[in-house]
Amino acid sequence: MKLAFLTSKIGSGSTPTGGANVYLHDGIKFLRSQNIYFEGLELSDVAYISEEIDAEMKGTRVQSGDVLLNITGGSIGRCYFLDDTLGRANVNQHVSIIRPKNIRTKYLKYQIQSFLGQHQIAMLQTGGNREGLSATSLSNFKILYPDFPEQQAIADYLDKKCAEIDQLIAIKQKKADELKEYKKSILYEYVTGKRSVCE
């Protein structure tokens, strides 16, 4: 089915008048493409806007259950979903809000993240010097549409398998980091003469 038939909203955010000059260190979260990753939201460098600007930009507010998709630049195609822990937030014009209506949020997120979804994104990109996805092209995005119980079963299975894979990656990364530190230690010891090649 087309994504338009499965959602109540497909639209991008906007940047407040004044741009980065109006960002605050506290207030309402303002999500940009650099905050959206396949693994989740990266909020260490999140920007904030005031209550007044949030009121002016109420059309760009996100809700729990929304899928956020980067629609421009080098991070195009990265997406994740929102749960109820984020609180009030808005997005800028480089991020699309996709609000599921007749489809499970996590299932939709996995569809977009899959090879099939990313291939469609690559095919739908438009624009001159900068790659980009329009709301119209996203509305025509094709989604495989099993019934709700199967959507839930697929999402639950992928949650479990992805968690297992992420754990294995973390273990391998830890070992790789330890080997890098060991390499630095060996280099230091031999270069400074603390150990000899004759040992």
Side-chain angles (χ1 to χ4, degrees), residues 27-96:
I28 312 300
K29 291 182 183 72
F30 187 65
L31 302 174
R32 299 163 290 168
S33 56
Q34 65 229 56
N35 302 121
I36 316 299
Y37 287 84
F38 289 122
E39 300 81 17
L41 300 181
E42 173 51 62
L43 301 177
S44 61
D45 66 341
V46 72
Y48 294 90
I49 55 176
S50 67
E51 292 274 356
E52 294 75 22
I53 291 175
D54 171 65
E56 293 170 9
M57 298 175 57
K58 60 185 179 183
T60 69
R61 287 178 188 157
V62 295
Q63 297 178 9
S64 176
D66 286 350
V67 174
L68 302 183
L69 171 67
N70 289 351
I71 55 174
T72 65
S75 67
I76 193 168
R78 285 197 324 228
C79 74
Y80 205 71
F81 73 99
L82 297 181
D83 59 22
D84 56 8
T85 63
L86 181 68
R88 195 150 36 122
N90 299 73
V91 297
N92 75 359
Q93 73 272 22
H94 303 300
V95 180
S96 178

Side-chain angles (χ1 to χ4, degrees), residues 89-125:
N90 299 73
V91 297
N92 75 359
Q93 73 272 22
H94 303 300
V95 180
S96 178
I97 301 168
I98 302 172
R99 188 158 294 151
K101 179 177 63 174
N102 299 315
I103 188 169
R104 301 283 187 202
T105 292
K106 280 192 179 180
Y107 174 76
L108 176 58
K109 179 216 41 156
Y110 281 126
Q111 274 261 341
I112 295 171
Q113 290 182 348
S114 72
F115 173 80
L116 178 64
Q118 293 297 301
H119 178 70
Q120 286 188 79
I121 287 170
M123 298 299 292
L124 289 172
Q125 288 175 26

Side-chain angles (χ1 to χ4, degrees), residues 114-181:
S114 72
F115 173 80
L116 178 64
Q118 293 297 301
H119 178 70
Q120 286 188 79
I121 287 170
M123 298 299 292
L124 289 172
Q125 288 175 26
T126 59
N129 296 325
R130 185 161 189 175
E131 300 165 333
L133 295 173
S134 68
T136 302
S137 62
L138 282 176
S139 295
N140 291 318
F141 203 88
K142 299 292 194 311
I143 298 293
L144 298 173
Y145 190 62
D147 59 25
F148 272 26
E150 188 172 356
Q151 289 179 33
Q152 190 64 52
I154 290 169
D156 290 344
Y157 176 82
L158 290 174
D159 279 349
K160 180 182 175 187
K161 295 307 286 185
C162 289
E164 290 172 1
I165 292 168
D166 288 342
Q167 186 176 23
L168 288 172
I169 290 171
I171 292 168
K172 295 286 187 186
Q173 186 62 55
K174 185 178 180 216
K175 287 184 179 176
D177 291 342
E178 288 170 353
L179 286 171
K180 283 179 186 175
E181 288 305 312

Side-chain angles (χ1 to χ4, degrees), residues 7-21:
T7 55
S8 61
K9 179 184 180 76
I10 299 176
S12 61
S14 63
T15 296
T17 304
N21 292 326

